[in-house]
């Protein structure tokens, strides 16, 4: 539970950094969602792989991270739909959790 | 007794999709966003200010050299503009002088050449001007101001420069007359920017302030050019002529632009 709360807070702070701090720096602001979405996807991968199979914090984190991205990132590729990133990240997390992890083993997985 | 995992997942996805579709169809999604913006705004403001000052700092670090170069270029440009401005002011002044000369019709009376004073030797009563043999000047040509006041004549002539011997030079001597009266005399330089009027007929009454102009008698200068005015008339019973000092009509010390009469 603690790990989940920390990861949610981390996503929230990262997204706020993305929309309020990084736009000042030319290199870090290619687009509205920019590279942060990829960092978050990577973190979701990490969370999903690193947690125990019976835990669901990876999926919950993915849902909230996607939701935060939806709230703060505006439209992406012309799609203005609240829930777009929530879906994308949820599907990624579900895919890792229930399909990929069943067949692939990484050293970091517990 | 629960649903199979795959079905459970499918159900979650469908429910999520339905939730967001409904949320997007109603104005509620704006309320949700507004709620998150409100609670995040203090943090966002802090991040924004930090990002702003940090990026300014980085910019000043990375662009320092560029700013320095730009500053140097601007300084150079300022210097160029100042020089250009000075040159334009000079031209303006010259233009005004020429205009003034045109107004009094100098160009109708004589053929003139404009020159600038580039050096003064007031102890020797001479100027150096920026025109010389190449400009068609020759020794003996009269030099006047734009107000048609006599200054002197050309002395030595070099290729691009000339010496002007002022009327006050000790060697200077020329025929003059009192304006509007047929009283002639000879003006002689006494050095130190002074000029005296000699050989005035004894019997004539000369008043202070009367104007002295050149006479064409000696052929040194064309007639009718103002020299100055009478002051300190000296009349002695033992001398056949009376003398007077001439107050020059122009301040020779302050002259900077002159006209040379090349033909009269």
């Amino acid at each position: 539970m603690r790990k989940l709360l920390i990861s949610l807070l981390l996503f929230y702070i990262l997204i706020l950094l993305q929309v309020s701090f990084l736009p000042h720096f030319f290199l870090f602001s290619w687009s509205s969602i920019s590279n942060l979405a990829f960092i978050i996807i990577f973190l979701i991968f990490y969370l999903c792989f690193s947690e125990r199979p019976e835990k669901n914090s990876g999926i919950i984190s993915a849902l909230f991270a996607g939701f935060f991205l939806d709230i703060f990132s505006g439209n992406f590729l012309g799609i203005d739909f609240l829930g777009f990133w929530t879906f994308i990240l949820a599907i990624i997390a579900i895919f890792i959790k229930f399909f990929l992890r069943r067949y692939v083993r990484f050293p970091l997985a517990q | 007794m629960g649903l199979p995992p795959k079905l459970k997942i499918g159900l979650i996805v469908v429910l999520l999709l339905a939730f967001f579709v409904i949320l997007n169809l109603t104005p509620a999604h704006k309320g949700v966003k507004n709620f998150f913006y409100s609670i995040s705004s203090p943090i966002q403001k802090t991040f924004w200010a930090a990002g702003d000052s940090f990026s300014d700092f980085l910019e000043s670090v990375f662009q320092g050299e560029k700013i320095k170069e730009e500053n140097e270029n601007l300084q150079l440009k300022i210097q160029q503009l100042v020089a250009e401005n000075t040159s334009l002011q000079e031209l303006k002044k010259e233009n005004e002088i020429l205009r003034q000369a045109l107004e009094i019709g100098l160009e109708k009376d004589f053929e003139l050449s404009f020159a600038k004073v580039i050096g003064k030797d007031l102890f020797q009563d001479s100027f150096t001007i920026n025109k010389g043999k190449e400009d068609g000047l020759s020794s003996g040509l009269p030099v006047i101001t734009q107000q048609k006041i006599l200054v002197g004549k050309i002395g030595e002539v070099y290729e691009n420069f000339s010496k002007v011997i002022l009327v006050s030079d000790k060697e200077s001597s020329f025929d003059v007359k009192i304006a509007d009266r047929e009283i002639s005399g000879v003006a002689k330089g006494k050095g130190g920017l002074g000029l005296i009027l000699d050989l005035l007929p004894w019997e004539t009454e000369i008043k202070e302030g009367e104007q002295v102009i050149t006479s064409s008698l000696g052929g040194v200068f064309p007639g009718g050019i103002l020299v100055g005015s009478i002051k300190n008339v000296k009349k002695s019973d033992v001398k056949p002529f009376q003398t007077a000092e001439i107050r020059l009509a122009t301040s020779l010390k302050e002259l900077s632009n002159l006209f040379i009469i090349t033909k009269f």
Side-chain angles (χ1 to χ4, degrees):
Chain A
M1 188 65 183
R2 199 165 142 240
K3 193 179 168 187
L4 178 68
L5 284 174
I6 290 168
S7 58
L8 291 185
L9 193 66
L10 177 73
F11 288 134
Y12 179 63
I13 297 292
L14 278 175
I15 287 163
L16 289 186
L17 273 176
Q18 173 66 29
V19 294
S20 305
F21 186 80
L22 296 182
H24 293 287
F25 304 96
F26 182 71
L27 284 172
F28 299 107
S29 53
W30 310 324
S31 69
S32 57
I33 57 111
S34 196
N35 36 7
L36 192 71
F38 301 104
I39 293 170
I40 287 171
I41 291 169
F42 174 79
L43 285 173
I44 298 295
F45 264 83
Y46 174 76
L47 282 172
C48 291
F49 274 115
S50 64
E51 70 180 359
R52 290 174 196 280
E54 66 274 15
K55 299 269 183 184
N56 291 318
S57 57
I59 294 176
I60 298 168
S61 298
L63 287 173
F64 277 94
F67 185 67
F68 290 147
L69 269 178
D70 279 327
I71 294 289
F72 290 103
S73 65
N75 62 16
F76 176 61
L77 299 175
I79 302 162
D80 188 15
F81 180 81
L82 186 67
F84 173 80
W85 282 106
T86 315
F87 261 101
I88 299 288
L89 295 187
I91 287 165
I92 290 170
I94 289 165
F95 175 75
I96 296 166
K97 190 89 182 162
F98 295 100
F99 299 99
L100 192 63
R101 218 182 144 181
R102 186 168 293 175
Y103 306 107
V104 182
R105 289 281 180 272
F106 286 96
L108 54 86
Q110 291 168 1
Chain B
M1 174 70 198
L3 293 167
K6 283 185 183 175
L7 194 65
K8 208 193 259 179
I9 296 160
L11 199 64
I12 291 168
V13 171
V14 169
L15 281 174
L16 260 177
L17 188 64
F19 172 74
F20 281 113
V21 168
I22 292 164
L23 194 67
N24 278 283
L25 289 173
T26 60
H29 75 280
K30 285 184 180 169
V32 174
K33 278 193 172 184
N34 186 58
F35 170 74
F36 278 96
Y37 291 155
S38 310
I39 57 165
S40 308
S41 109
I43 309 167
Q44 277 186 283
K45 275 181 193 167
T46 313
F47 282 165
W48 188 267
D52 199 21
S53 48
F54 190 56
S55 70
D56 283 350
F57 168 73
L58 285 182
E59 202 172 344
S60 63
V61 169
F62 290 116
Q63 304 222 330
E65 196 61 34
K66 198 180 163 192
I67 289 168
K68 195 181 162 193
E69 196 181 319
E70 202 173 301
N71 188 33
E72 278 170 8
N73 286 338
L74 286 172
Q75 291 277 7
L76 200 70
K77 205 163 190 176
I78 287 172
Q79 282 170 3
Q80 281 173 347
L81 286 172
V82 167
E84 200 174 316
N85 193 28
T86 314
S87 158
L88 285 172
Q89 275 178 347
E90 279 288 302
L91 282 174
K92 191 185 166 196
K93 212 170 162 185
E94 198 175 306
N95 187 26
E96 276 169 14
I97 291 162
L98 289 170
R99 199 179 287 269
Q100 205 174 346
L102 279 172
E103 274 169 14
I104 61 167
L106 270 184
E107 90 290 353
K108 285 178 195 162
D109 299 336
F110 316 110
E111 270 185 30
L112 298 167
S113 176
F114 179 74
K116 279 176 172 291
V117 176
I118 55 163
K120 288 181 183 178
D121 185 357
L122 296 175
F123 292 107
Q124 303 225 337
D125 295 89
S126 71
F127 288 168
T128 309
I129 57 169
N130 67 342
K131 293 278 170 77
K133 209 177 278 180
E134 273 192 4
D135 305 289
L137 300 194
S138 58
S139 184
L141 292 177
V143 181
I144 59 171
T145 67
Q146 71 262 32
Q147 293 91 5
K148 206 179 173 183
I149 297 167
L150 188 68
V151 173
K153 62 179 180 182
I154 299 290
E156 283 179 82
V157 183
Y158 308 99
E159 280 302 310
N160 305 103
F161 304 97
S162 303
K163 286 271 180 197
V164 176
I165 299 166
L166 300 182
V167 285
S168 56
D169 183 73
K170 278 181 182 168
E171 301 296 315
S172 168
S173 173
F174 54 95
D175 288 289
V176 291
K177 63 180 186 179
I178 307 292
D180 301 327
R181 293 169 76 182
E182 286 307 313
I183 303 168
S184 297
V186 174
K188 291 176 180 172
K190 62 171 190 174
L193 303 178
L195 189 64
I196 53 165
L197 178 54
D198 200 2
L199 302 178
L200 285 168
W202 193 88
E203 67 282 2
T204 53
E205 188 69 31
I206 311 289
K207 289 177 195 159
E208 277 201 22
E210 282 189 291
Q211 290 195 322
V212 180
I213 56 171
T214 54
S215 161
S216 53
L217 271 178
V220 181
F221 296 119
I225 299 172
L226 182 64
V227 179
S229 58
I230 297 286
K231 74 168 186 181
N232 282 343
V233 183
K234 286 177 188 168
K235 200 171 184 179
S236 169
D237 289 340
V238 294
K239 286 185 179 173
F241 297 101
Q242 52 182 325
T243 59
E245 279 184 46
I246 297 176
R247 183 188 292 119
L248 292 169
T250 183
S251 170
L252 295 175
K253 281 181 190 171
E254 285 156 23
L255 283 177
S256 55
N257 300 289
L258 299 170
F259 286 96
I260 298 107
I261 302 174
T262 50
K263 201 178 270 184
F264 60 93

